[in-house]
């Protein structure tokens, strides 16, 4: 019997609250564990607490960019 695996964890980083909420809803409905952050600083704080499998990152954030 195969062992169960944890759902992939995705971090969505966007300063647009509507887009962030939409992506969170769609990805969660597909079975992903979704973390959200509104800024580069918030994203760094999430990444200090846990690892993610994928990050969807807005390239133009008020406190940094996507590089």
């Amino acid at each position: 019997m195969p062992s169960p695996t944890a759902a992939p964890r995705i971090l969505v980083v966007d300063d647009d609250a509507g887009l962030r909420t939409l992506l969170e809803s769609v990805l969660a409905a597909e079975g992903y564990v979704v973390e959200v952050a509104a800024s580069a600083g918030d994203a760094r704080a999430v990444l200090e607490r846990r690892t993610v499998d994928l990050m969807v990152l807005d390239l133009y954030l008020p406190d940094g960019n996507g590089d």
Side-chain angles (χ1 to χ4, degrees):
M1 174 188 258
S3 63
T5 58
R9 184 177 301 273
I10 299 176
L11 173 58
V12 175
V13 185
D14 201 304
D15 57 329
D16 181 321
L19 182 57
R20 197 171 57 242
T21 301
L22 174 65
L23 288 170
E24 179 181 20
S25 298
V26 169
L27 292 168
E30 291 296 322
Y32 297 100
V33 176
V34 183
E35 298 273 346
V36 294
S39 67
D42 292 346
R44 286 185 196 98
V46 169
L47 294 171
E48 287 176 3
R49 292 191 312 267
R50 65 185 49 89
T51 59
V52 297
D53 298 297
L54 177 73
M55 187 168 15
V56 178
L57 177 62
D58 183 353
L59 291 178
Y60 304 105
L61 296 167
D63 63 338
N65 59 31
D67 25 335

